[in-house]
Amino acid sequence: MLSGVRRFLTLIILTFTLCTVAQAWQQVNENAPEPPREFRAAWVATVFNLDWPSRAGLSAGQQKQELLDIITHAHKLRLNAIILQVRPNGDALYKSSLEPWSAWLSGPGVNPGYDPLAFAITECHKRGIELHAWFNPFRATISNRPVGKGHISRRSPGWILRAGGTTMLNPASSSARSHVMQVILDVVRRYNIDGVHLDDYFYPYPPHHKVADGKSPAQRRAYIDDFVQTLYTRVKGIKPYVRVGISPFGIWQPGHPGSVEAGVNAYEHLACDARKWIRKGWVDYLSPQLYWRCEGPQSFNALMAWWSSINPSRPIWPGIASVRVNSSEDPGRPASEIGRQIDYSRKLARQSCGQLYWSWKSLGTNRGGVCEELAERYTTLAVPPPMPWSGSTRPTRPTAQAQDTRSGCQVVWQSDGSARKWVVQVGRGGKWWPMYVLSGATRQVIIPAKVAANIDRIAIRPISGTGVSGTPAVLAR
């Protein structure tokens, strides 16, 4: 009997304590500073199993675990986007009625037993990481590797051009371009992706760039220009918030800028007039592959300055070669070179900062200590920069409540669904820092007790699909 009374009294005391604590947090008419903005991404290549999966033929569980390890590690590095290669060569790393399953998963045309793209999107969004679907638009087969039943090279051999050991879809064929467009837009419609990303393989690199299509460099550029402009318009017509970016070869033409030397002419050889695309607003960003050192005949600094000067209203986020640290390709390159390039790109940024790293494996293995360079600069979480040209409507301010519990401070909020992301910021004495970046579907979070005991403010800030920030709900003790 006595123990029952004690339990009853304990319950009353605990309930009273919780109610008292809950009243300590009130929504107030205050604001919070904007969270840091920067695009921080890594390419995850599937071709040749460069980054993932580690080899073809792994079980679904093994593939999922490897991908989850990449995503969780990226989150620890405070990256906020994964650029996942979902179409390496006329194939699919997702469920498709248009193209066969990629051989890099479980063998040519073999269903891996799950949908890798859907899995990646879910796991990335749980952690506030964007998932950008990376397409190689015109490569069909590579190194004479086998492809699955129904592959475009088998269905429509008249669209195929040979370039060494690789074959490609002929961009001069309107039917081939329409097929690629259909493939990409199918993913935009069916998957909750955050971006569409194209690499630089529009036409083959030298010495195989002289494919037998009978077209001049100017004619080839016209086909690719049309494709890029149409793709951008159609993606935005379906989902304006999907960010469209391209990663061209890092030198537009030799001599631009004047100090730069190059054996590859992207403008002439690859039909890649990226300068036009960014000037015309046919992309939301460019990520030129600036894989060289800060100084030299292909100077990262000189090239970054040149690219940044083209269009002040659209961002240039450099592709940075973390893979070349301590590599046979560039012996002796230190990881500090990566830190210098981050610093320089930040200094030149006009609209917004950003960096993309080639490729994941070098970060996942911390080659040469490159992750320490990132940790020194990525000291807090950051939100990808906005795209107000794709939509400037501010998401609605939520209503929020908070209650301290033994496990931490439970924060819940209500919203009208206009936010694609939430940034939970915490503060004390007027100083703020971002604690979480969350999916727009999330409506609650628990701030750990050790953190909650040392803060006096909580802000739940809505972010629209185009990255525009809304007024946060602010809770104060």
Side-chain angles (χ1 to χ4, degrees):
M1 175 68 118
L2 185 57
S3 62
V5 171
R6 285 175 176 167
R7 284 198 298 271
F8 180 68
L9 291 173
T10 300
L11 180 60
I12 291 176
I13 293 169
L14 178 59
T15 303
F16 177 79
T17 300
L18 289 176
C19 290
T20 303
V21 172
Q23 293 173 356
W25 290 102
Q26 300 290 334
Q27 185 161 335
V28 295
N29 189 24
E30 296 181 12
N31 209 331
E34 282 286 329
R37 294 284 191 151
E38 188 166 50
F39 192 73
R40 304 168 180 171
W43 280 289
V44 176
T46 56
V47 66
F48 294 118
N49 299 112
L50 289 176
D51 292 312
W52 176 83
S54 59
R55 61 180 175 84
L58 296 177
S59 69
Q62 290 171 318
Q63 290 185 21
K64 285 182 178 181
Q65 188 58 57
E66 286 188 353
L67 189 51
L68 188 58
D69 289 345
I70 290 172
I71 294 167
T72 54
H73 193 174
H75 184 251
K76 290 178 182 176
L77 292 175
R78 298 195 176 99
L79 302 185
N80 53 32
I82 293 290
I83 313 295
L84 178 63
Q85 191 176 29
V86 300
R87 185 181 185 268
N89 47 274
D91 49 6
L93 281 92
Y94 57 91
K95 188 176 181 180
S96 173
S97 63
L98 301 173
E99 296 190 312
W101 285 103
S102 176
W104 311 111
L105 285 172
S106 302
V110 178
N111 189 330
Y114 73 111
D115 189 323
L117 178 55
F119 176 79
I121 290 169
T122 297
E123 295 302 326
C124 280
H125 287 182
K126 282 180 184 177
R127 296 160 180 82
I129 296 174
E130 293 191 352
L131 192 289
H132 293 229
W134 163 19
F135 299 85
N136 184 289
F138 295 105
R139 188 165 61 200
T141 63
I142 188 167
S143 301
N144 298 311
R145 298 292 183 96
V147 293
K149 183 180 179 180
H151 190 273
I152 196 67
S153 62
R154 296 180 175 181
R155 295 203 324 262
S156 302
W159 299 354
I160 301 299
L161 298 172
R162 179 161 290 280
T166 295
T167 65
M168 62 175 289
L169 287 165
N170 184 1
S173 165
S174 59
S175 297
R177 294 198 306 274
S178 294
H179 172 74
V180 177
M181 189 74 62
Q182 185 181 10
V183 166
I184 297 173
L185 297 180
D186 174 59
V187 172
V188 173
R189 290 188 183 98
R190 291 193 296 119
Y191 289 88
N192 189 25
I193 60 172
D194 300 283
V196 165
H197 184 89
L198 304 184
D199 55 30
D200 57 338
Y201 290 99
F202 296 101
Y203 278 85
Y205 272 74
H208 302 301
H209 62 289
K210 295 181 180 180
V211 291
D213 63 350
K215 305 300 179 184
S216 69
Q219 287 174 315
R220 291 178 178 180
R221 284 193 300 275
Y223 296 128
I224 300 302
D225 287 350
D226 175 74
F227 178 82
V228 170
Q229 181 183 16
T230 303
L231 176 67
Y232 187 78
T233 301
R234 296 192 65 182
V235 169
K236 295 298 179 177
I238 298 168
K239 294 178 180 176
Y241 61 82
V242 170
R243 200 184 298 263
V244 179
I246 297 179
S247 178
F249 180 69
I251 301 172
W252 175 68
Q253 281 190 284
H256 295 267
S259 60
V260 166
E261 303 171 8
V264 174
N265 188 324
Y267 183 79
E268 291 290 326
H269 297 154
L270 310 181
C272 185
D273 192 357
R275 186 178 73 166
K276 175 188 285 187
W277 307 337
I278 195 78
R279 280 180 169 174
K280 294 284 189 179
W282 296 346
V283 289
D284 293 311
Y285 71 94
L286 287 178
S287 181
Q289 298 169 26
L290 305 185
Y291 292 167
W292 303 278
R293 296 200 189 200
C294 291
E295 294 85 24
Q298 296 85 32
S299 161
F300 174 95
N301 288 12
L303 285 163
M304 184 65 201
W306 183 85
W307 282 103
S308 297
S309 69
I310 295 173
N311 182 356
S313 66
R314 298 284 171 101
I316 299 294
W317 297 329
I320 293 177
S322 51
V323 72
R324 292 190 181 178
V325 171
N326 291 347
S327 66
S328 58
E329 191 172 10
D330 188 359
R333 184 186 296 199
S336 59
E337 191 81 5
I338 304 300
R340 292 176 63 199
Q341 292 178 354
I342 296 171
D343 295 342
Y344 192 70
S345 68
R346 284 174 166 177
K347 184 185 299 183
L348 285 181
R350 300 199 180 191
Q351 279 292 316
S352 57
C353 300
Q355 304 88 35
L356 284 73
Y357 298 97
W358 174 259
S359 66
W360 170 257
K361 188 172 288 186
S362 56
L363 301 185
T365 58
N366 192 22
R367 178 174 292 183
V370 66
C371 291
E372 281 72 30
E373 295 293 325
L374 269 60
E376 185 178 328
R377 289 158 178 86
Y378 298 163
T379 55
T380 67
L381 295 173
V383 182
M387 302 182 292
W389 53 84
S390 291
S392 57
T393 302
R394 288 163 56 88
T396 305
R397 182 184 188 184
T399 58
Q401 296 174 314
Q403 176 173 297
D404 287 314
T405 68
R406 288 185 176 181
S407 60
C409 181
Q410 184 178 34
V411 186
V412 298
W413 58 93
Q414 294 79 42
S415 167
D416 64 359
S418 58
R420 186 167 173 83
K421 287 193 188 78
W422 300 103
V423 181
V424 178
Q425 299 164 269
V426 295
R428 182 177 181 85
K431 294 183 179 180
W432 290 85
W433 64 97
M435 188 80 188
Y436 302 104
V437 179
L438 304 167
S439 163
T442 304
R443 293 291 185 275
Q444 63 177 340
V445 71
I446 295 179
I447 298 172
K450 288 184 179 179
V451 175
N454 292 288
I455 60 175
D456 59 21
R457 294 290 187 277
I458 302 170
I460 298 84
R461 180 182 295 277
I463 305 291
S464 77
T466 60
V468 175
S469 180
T471 303
V474 178
L475 300 165
R477 286 191 189 275

